């Protein structure tokens, strides 16, 4: 089992920045990659960004490329999502998740943190 706790959400004006954190505990040695997803009201959950735990390879949704940066701090078992140039359409609940292999679906999920971007 891996437990995840997100923090850092809040209310920000359009054009502003936020940094989300996700701390992992438990069987962290099993982590292959960590990702961020988001779900806006009335919409399905969507992929935002991911990073592999050992090599640090990253991937991003097209909608956030150039604005969001995912990073990790292995010593603290923590992944970050730095969000710049925020837009109202970025408003959503943001979740972090863990996958334990390259072809295995994300299995462990945090409780989510609300990000609200006002226009």
């Amino acid at each position: 089992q891996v437990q995840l706790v997100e923090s850092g959400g809040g209310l920000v004006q359009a054009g502003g920045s936020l940094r989300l954190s996700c701390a992992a505990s438990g069987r962290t040695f099993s982590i292959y990659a960590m990702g961020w997803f988001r779900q806006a009201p009335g919409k399905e959950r969507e992929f935002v960004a991911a990073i592999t735990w050992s090599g640090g390879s990253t991937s991003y949704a097209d909608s956030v490329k150039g604005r969001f940066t995912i990073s990790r701090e292995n010593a603290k078992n923590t992944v970050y999502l730095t969000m710049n140039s925020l837009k109202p359409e970025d408003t959503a609940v943001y979740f972090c998740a863990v996958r334990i292999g390259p072809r295995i679906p994300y299995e462990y999920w945090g409780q989510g943190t609300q990000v609200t971007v006002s226009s």
Side-chain angles (χ1 to χ4, degrees):
Q1 292 279 349
V2 177
Q3 294 79 41
L4 302 170
V5 178
E6 302 102 332
S7 60
L11 173 64
V12 64
Q13 287 189 332
S17 299
L18 280 176
R19 189 178 81 157
L20 306 182
S21 301
C22 176
S25 60
R27 297 173 62 89
T28 56
F29 61 85
S30 66
I31 296 174
Y32 168 77
M34 292 184 72
W36 285 98
F37 293 75
R38 66 187 181 185
Q39 187 166 19
K43 295 187 177 181
E44 293 188 354
R45 186 166 56 194
E46 64 175 0
F47 170 78
V48 175
I51 187 167
T52 58
W53 209 238
S54 60
S57 297
T58 59
S59 58
Y60 296 92
D62 288 343
S63 58
V64 306
K65 279 181 182 177
R67 300 189 299 122
F68 291 11
T69 302
I70 189 169
S71 59
R72 76 201 192 291
E73 191 169 355
N74 293 50
K76 294 185 177 180
N77 293 320
T78 299
V79 66
Y80 305 98
L81 185 68
T82 303
M83 306 183 293
N84 298 318
S85 303
L86 282 162
K87 305 175 181 179
E89 52 263 43
D90 294 317
T91 295
V93 178
Y94 284 70
F95 300 87
C96 69
V98 159
R99 66 195 310 180
I100 60 173
R103 295 178 182 81
I104 299 174
Y106 285 89
E107 182 175 353
Y108 302 102
W109 294 83
Q111 81 287 353
T113 185
Q114 176 70 47
V115 171
T116 302
V117 184
S118 63
S119 57

